[in-house]
Amino acid sequence: MTALGEVFRFEVEYRLRRPSTWVYALLLLGMPFLMMHALGGSRYHLNAPAMVTKASLVLGGVGLLVTAGIFGDAAARDVQSRMQALFYTSPLPESHYLGGRFLGGLAVNAALLLGVPLGLLLASVMPYMPAGKFGPVQPAAYVQAYFLYLLPNLVVVGAFMFAAAALTRRSLATYLGGVALFLLGTIAPDLGDGLSGRTLSALVDPFGARAVALTTRYWTPAESNARLVGWPAIVLWNRALWLAVAAGLLALLVARFRFAHPGGAARRRPWRRRPWRRRPVVDTVPDRRAPVEALPVPAAARSFSPAARVRQTLAVAARAWREIAATRASLVVLAGALAFVFLFGWDVGAEIYGTATWPVTHLIAGTVLSAALAPVMALLVAIYAGELVWREREVGMGDIAAVAPVPNGVVLLGRCLALVAMLVTLQAVLMGAGVLLQTLRGWHRYELPVYLELLFGIKLVDYVLLAALAMAVHVVVNQKYLGHLVVVLWFASTQVPELLGLRHHMLVYGSDPGWIWSDLNGLAPFAAGLVWFKLYWRRGRSCSPWWRACSGCADGRAAFGRG
């Protein structure tokens, strides 16, 4: 067997031995099965070919976190486990190494994605389902959804994530490719003005959802229930375009990747090199006949007072904030969010009910920076929480951190505060981007109090509640990528709680009765309800209470090397 085959076999066997792989399989099979139970009947059968295709695209988007876990681990595992030197000094070609890792992760992930059409199919044949909810089963619809949408999307997303992680040697960079594709798919519908614009938006969308929407745009309910989506030209061109992009990206990765340690002397900038100076030769051999004198150890006073705990918490928070904010990955994510603001919000105030409007502040702050960016912010919260919880163990410093004279509660609370500070920083940057967008569009009435009220008074509270939940999930789940998936699934469930049978806002974590901004009254009719609901969720659910429970349990101690 060739070196490529050996690496492929090892990668597949490694993934099959991991418990997280089987948890992913259960989730990808159970999510579509339960979703079909939660959805109600309508004029469209739930197992209609068009509905199967659209449901597969939605569930495949949620499966991006599974893809990130598999390909990020395959690309950066050797660096994180300090085994890269063994591979870098072996006679293994870079192309075989990268190809085996990528194809191994692709094979396992492709097998896991089979759970999506299988779950949809199993739900449609259950005998207890109400009559009229499902129509005749068409196996070709499930086969087409897998081979025309799920599998090509997996290749495209996997190529972006694998290349980002392999070139940077960091698993955090895995999400950069996924976030970039997600943002591109989000802004693709805004390119749909006119026939040529709709075609362009269908081609630009990396997931093919716009191509499906363009194909089925004028279908009647009867056609949607009986007609297969087929192989329309726009879908085939979209698939061919993005598969070519993925192939080109992998070819670029093979050309750029080298078995060399990152950050070495070869990569040092010329202006940062210190001038070489000849040092004088000094005899540094000690005289063994001289008596050895004990060095004086300074007496340091140790304090365990509440004030000392506060200083420790602030020190942990400051260091953790620097670790997640002052990184290239964070800067790239921030740049992508700013690009999304300008692309999505450029025509946000173009027309409402047939009347042209200006990009007023409540549209920029409430629509672009709040509603449109909410899924992206939820994903960032899940990623940053995982990085904060797993940082020591990923670099092999868990045992050292475990013996530090700092309580678990201080560490957990400090990192939660660092995550909150990161969210404040993001909101401030987004607020500046909103003001700049208004300026470029010719609107100069900025209404900064409206920005503060919407971004820092409403959305920031929502993000803080989600951050507390994300930290707790990562500590309890004790598996990084699975924790990401749980947090995102929880956020998605709060967006459609009625599908889960939760029709009261007091049963949905972090929810509120809703609000509408008025230029005359602001949030006056909704302010009281918002305040009481947020106080209800913050009481007993903020950063301060859950770390007491987590720091005392086995999972909490294990998360910080104190097991």
Side-chain angles (χ1 to χ4, degrees):
M1 184 179 292
T2 63
L4 176 64
E6 285 290 342
V7 176
F8 173 82
R9 181 185 59 82
F10 171 82
E11 186 65 26
V12 172
E13 292 180 352
Y14 174 83
R15 291 308 317 175
L16 293 179
R17 291 195 303 266
R18 302 293 295 177
S20 59
T21 304
W22 302 104
V23 176
Y24 293 150
L26 181 62
L27 288 173
L28 289 178
L29 179 65
M31 282 192 303
F33 185 79
L34 296 177
M35 186 182 73
M36 286 297 166
H37 286 71
L39 293 175
S42 64
R43 295 181 301 170
Y44 300 94
H45 295 149
L46 294 183
N47 63 339
M51 296 295 292
V52 169
T53 300
K54 294 176 182 178
S56 299
L57 289 172
V58 173
L59 294 169
V62 177
L64 289 179
L65 295 175
V66 175
T67 304
I70 292 177
F71 282 98
D73 180 71
R77 184 194 315 130
D78 295 332
V79 177
Q80 292 178 354
S81 61
R82 303 296 189 270
M83 291 291 292
Q84 74 273 22
L86 180 63
F87 288 96
Y88 291 177
T89 57
S90 66
L92 181 68
E94 287 92 343
S95 59
H96 290 189
Y97 172 80
L98 294 173
R101 288 291 172 88
F102 178 79
L103 293 177
L106 181 65
V108 174
N109 205 342
L112 295 179
L113 274 182
L114 283 172
V116 173
L118 286 178
L120 297 174
L121 179 60
L122 287 177
S124 64
V125 298
M126 290 292 104
Y128 53 81
M129 284 294 187
K133 192 174 181 179
F134 296 95
V137 176
Q138 300 188 47
Y142 301 92
V143 174
Q144 187 180 79
Y146 180 78
F147 285 100
L148 190 57
Y149 301 102
L150 289 176
L151 194 56
N153 288 348
L154 172 62
V155 175
V156 173
V157 175
F160 274 79
M161 291 184 170
F162 186 81
L167 290 176
T168 61
R169 271 80 165 181
R170 294 177 180 272
S171 59
L172 178 60
T174 306
Y175 301 97
L176 299 180
V179 170
L181 292 176
F182 176 79
L183 294 177
L184 188 59
T186 303
I187 65 175
D190 296 333
L191 305 175
D193 294 335
L195 181 60
S196 60
R198 288 195 296 268
T199 303
L200 178 62
S201 67
L203 292 176
V204 168
D205 182 14
F207 305 107
R210 290 296 300 169
V212 175
L214 184 61
T215 302
T216 62
R217 185 179 184 183
Y218 299 109
W219 284 14
T220 63
E223 286 181 301
S224 299
N225 289 332
R227 183 178 175 183
L228 291 172
V229 178
W231 308 85
I234 189 65
V235 173
L236 295 179
W237 279 111
N238 174 275
R239 304 288 82 188
L241 172 64
W242 282 102
L243 287 177
V245 171
L249 186 60
L250 292 176
L252 179 63
L253 170 63
V254 173
R256 295 294 303 272
F257 184 83
R258 292 293 180 270
F259 283 150
H261 294 278
R267 299 184 55 166
R268 187 176 299 168
R269 303 297 187 269
W271 55 83
R272 293 183 180 178
R273 295 178 181 174
R274 295 180 179 179
W276 182 81
R277 296 178 181 178
R278 183 182 298 275
R279 295 182 178 180
V281 179
V282 181
D283 186 10
T284 58
V285 179
D287 187 3
R288 297 183 179 180
R289 294 172 296 178
V292 179
E293 298 181 359
L295 296 177
V297 179
R302 295 186 297 176
S303 174
F304 299 97
S305 62
R309 298 304 187 204
V310 171
R311 290 193 297 271
Q312 289 176 337
T313 302
L314 295 178
V316 171
R319 179 183 176 186
W321 184 86
R322 290 193 300 269
E323 289 175 348
I324 62 176
T327 59
R328 293 180 180 179
S330 298
L331 296 178
V332 172
V333 169
L334 183 59
L338 295 179
F340 173 82
V341 169
F342 284 95
L343 292 175
F344 184 84
W346 191 256
D347 292 326
V348 67
E351 185 174 325
I352 297 180
Y353 299 117
T355 303
T357 62
W358 290 97
V360 295
T361 301
H362 75 87
L363 282 178
I364 299 296
T367 302
V368 180
L369 303 182
S370 297
L373 270 178
V376 178
M377 295 295 292
L379 180 60
L380 293 180
V381 167
I383 293 173
Y384 286 139
E387 292 300 315
L388 289 173
V389 172
W390 284 83
R391 181 168 294 274
E392 278 81 6
R393 282 184 288 177
E394 285 190 340
V395 297
M397 297 287 290
D399 293 337
I400 297 178
V403 299
V406 181
N408 290 339
V410 169
V411 178
L412 285 166
L413 182 58
R415 295 182 183 184
C416 186
L417 293 178
L419 184 54
V420 172
M422 187 65 188
L423 292 174
V424 173
T425 304
L426 288 174
Q427 292 294 87
V429 174
L430 293 176
M431 176 180 169
V435 172
L436 179 60
L437 176 60
Q438 287 180 297
T439 304
L440 295 177
R441 295 293 290 163
W443 182 258
H444 304 287
R445 186 184 175 187
Y446 301 118
E447 297 179 289
L448 297 182
V450 178
Y451 275 111
L452 296 176
E453 193 169 353
L454 296 183
L455 295 184
F456 294 91
I458 297 179
K459 299 307 297 182
L460 182 61
V461 176
D462 295 339
Y463 298 149
V464 169
L465 291 174
L466 183 61
L469 175 68
M471 293 287 290
V473 166
H474 275 286
V475 170
V476 174
V477 172
N478 204 23
Q479 211 285 334
K480 182 178 179 180
Y481 296 102
L482 184 58
H484 293 338
L485 184 60
V486 171
V487 174
V488 172
L489 287 178
W490 185 278
F491 174 79
S493 66
T494 60
Q495 304 304 302
V496 285
E498 62 278 357
L499 296 181
L500 304 177
L502 302 176
R503 303 188 181 277
H504 200 287
H505 294 293
M506 295 185 71
L507 301 177
V508 182
Y509 176 79
S511 65
D512 54 63
W515 55 273
I516 299 176
W517 178 266
S518 170
D519 286 330
L520 182 61
N521 298 319
L523 293 174
F526 310 97
L530 287 171
V531 171
W532 282 111
F533 265 85
K534 298 312 176 184
L535 289 176
Y536 165 73
W537 289 117
R538 285 177 65 87
R539 186 178 183 272
R541 293 166 175 83
S542 60
C543 293
S544 56
W546 61 258
W547 59 256
R548 291 190 180 97
C550 291
S551 61
C553 66
D555 291 332
R557 293 191 300 272
F560 293 93
R562 289 171 167 82

